[in-house]
Amino acid sequence: MAQPAANRATPPRPRLRQETPRRRLAADRAARWVVSAGGLAVVVAILGILVFIVAEIWPLLAPARVTARRDLAVASSGIGGIGDIGGVVADEHRALVAALTADGKVVVVRTKDGQAVSSTDLFAPHPAPRLVQMAVAPESRLLAAATADGRVVLAPVRFTATFTGAVRETAAEVGPAVLLTLDPAGQPLRRFAAQLDANGNALVAAQLASGALAVVRQASEKNEMTGETTASLDRKEAPVALPLTALVLDADQKNLYGGTAAGELLWWPLEGAQPGPVRTASAGRSGVTALSLLVGGRALLVGQESGAISVWFPVQQANDTYRLTRVRDFPRHRSAIRAFAPSPRDKGFLALSAGRLGLYHSTSERTLWTGPAPLAPLSIADGVSLFYAPKGDGAFLASGRKIVPLDIVNPHPEISWTTLFGKVWYEGYDRPAWVWQSSGASDDVEPKLSLTPLLFGTLK
């Protein structure tokens, strides 16, 4: 019997295969590539930022380097018959170096090939006296020397640069020389210090053979109506109990510092040529062999017979007076410190002993580099001069009749854990402090980079 149509089973329909449209597949594939590329781009960007940060931070961590170039033999540079070198200065590009020699000449040498450019006799047309001491005044290009007959000669050196197209040509101008008599008796001076300001005012201090301290100031005044310049001379003397082994005068001609073989430091405030009451401090039993001033003239560098290196500056006391205070010490050399060369760009300096040269930074208390001196004096009688180039990228070391140019790579000497997070005793402060000062008016300003006040203010 046939089943009713309603109960009859409906055969299954064939299953249709549904295909995704090609457009959607292409869009999905493109989206997958875009998302993957975006994620990869984020990773690359983060890695790039890290690389950039490391590249920016690396100069802070990179060690300083001091490299000696080929010696410049002044005696064979085209000018014969010269004496030993006792002072050198250079232009900012280190193209020329001017050397003061023991026979009273200033010889200008081209550093590129070591050839002499010019020679100036400071005492011409008169015979040159014997020079017994030579020096370079701090923060200047002033060559100074003491003669065997109790006089001091000052020779300012000025460098100028001119351009012919893209070629720079540097020239040096010496003088006019200033000659001042410190000892009327004509005896050799024990120690001397000198400065010459931009207006032509010269100040020289020296310990005479008699032991007294003599200060001579020659002031120049120009009549603006007539253009005539008149010079006045002022001379003062002050007693000194002990023989001085070092003297240094600041660029402002306001402070004179001396050292003795007993390790005593003496400080005379100056008013014109008049020394004020002497103030003393003790650097220990080791004798003082070298003195200089950091850029700005407020911090005193002290080198001693024991090889000790220290930084001092006047600190205000409770009664509104100032006392010369030992603030920082650096690792000792094995022999006596012979010379300092302060950096003109920061609070760094070079220190030279008989066989060692070191690069240091005062504020960060860092020893940046030490190594053998490329041209070391053989004995205490040998003259030596050390000059830090104006751009801070090089220096010149001179002894005998040779000059050695030095290349200095020292990008960020002011950075250390102490300067970033610790208390630092800054110049002009009466105690260590956390200080942030983003900028200063000149290179004389001590960098103050403590992050502690910024972190504290952020958390607060």
Side-chain angles (χ1 to χ4, degrees), residues 99-441:
L100 176 62
T101 63
D103 56 353
K105 296 178 181 178
V106 176
V107 181
V108 180
V109 179
R110 192 167 50 229
T111 59
K112 180 175 63 176
D113 52 14
Q115 292 300 308
V117 176
S118 65
S119 177
T120 303
D121 192 339
L122 300 179
F123 297 92
H126 306 288
R130 182 169 59 92
L131 302 185
V132 294
Q133 299 176 53
M134 291 174 278
V136 177
E139 299 189 71
S140 75
R141 293 191 184 99
L142 176 67
L143 297 170
T147 67
D149 56 4
R151 295 180 293 171
V152 172
V153 60
L154 310 180
V157 181
R158 187 170 68 93
F159 295 95
T160 57
T162 58
F163 288 86
T164 303
V167 179
R168 183 183 64 246
E169 296 180 0
T170 305
E173 180 183 348
V174 181
V178 178
L179 188 62
L180 299 175
T181 299
L182 272 294
D183 190 351
Q187 297 296 314
L189 306 175
R190 291 183 176 177
R191 286 291 180 269
F192 84 100
Q195 283 287 358
L196 182 69
D197 65 18
N199 298 320
N201 301 314
L203 193 144
V204 180
Q207 187 178 34
L208 309 182
S210 63
L213 176 70
V215 181
V216 175
R217 186 173 190 269
Q218 178 178 285
S220 300
E221 185 175 354
K222 183 177 180 181
N223 189 319
E224 299 298 337
M225 298 290 294
T226 63
E228 183 181 359
T229 300
T230 58
S232 61
L233 197 65
D234 190 12
R235 186 180 188 278
K236 304 292 182 182
E237 286 193 11
V240 180
L242 296 173
L244 298 177
T245 56
L247 267 177
V248 68
L249 180 65
D250 68 357
D252 293 333
Q253 304 180 8
K254 294 295 181 65
N255 296 282
L256 176 66
Y257 301 94
T260 71
E264 190 175 17
L265 295 175
L266 297 90
W267 171 28
W268 292 272
L270 298 176
E271 186 64 38
Q274 180 64 54
V278 63
R279 306 174 191 182
T280 62
S282 177
R285 296 182 179 180
S286 179
V288 176
T289 55
L291 292 175
S292 191
L293 292 159
L294 292 177
V295 62
R298 303 185 69 175
L300 177 69
L301 292 172
V302 178
Q304 297 180 257
E305 187 73 34
S306 62
I309 301 172
S310 54
V311 177
W312 302 61
F313 44 79
V315 176
Q316 189 172 11
Q317 306 300 300
N319 57 357
D320 290 336
T321 62
Y322 286 84
R323 181 170 64 90
L324 198 58
T325 304
R326 189 174 196 148
V327 176
R328 300 183 184 99
D329 286 279
F330 292 88
R332 295 191 178 193
H333 286 216
R334 295 182 179 179
S335 57
I337 302 300
R338 296 290 310 280
F340 288 116
S343 169
R345 288 292 183 96
D346 53 42
K347 300 299 179 177
F349 61 94
L350 289 164
L352 175 71
S353 60
R356 203 77 179 164
L357 182 65
L359 177 62
Y360 308 90
H361 192 272
S362 175
T363 308
S364 61
E365 301 183 55
R366 291 178 61 189
T367 300
L368 302 166
W369 176 91
T370 58
L375 188 62
L378 300 177
S379 68
I380 196 69
D382 294 330
V384 63
S385 180
L386 190 60
F387 178 77
Y388 214 126
K391 283 190 173 183
D393 57 354
F396 292 88
L397 173 62
S399 183
R401 298 184 182 182
K402 290 185 178 181
I403 303 173
V404 179
L406 304 172
D407 292 326
I408 298 177
V409 178
N410 186 24
H412 295 285
E414 70 280 1
I415 298 300
S416 69
W417 287 108
T418 301
T419 57
L420 293 179
F421 301 103
K423 284 186 177 182
V424 177
W425 199 338
Y426 297 103
E427 298 173 9
Y429 286 62
D430 56 1
R431 63 177 63 88
W434 287 297
V435 182
W436 166 267
Q437 181 179 333
S438 60
S439 63

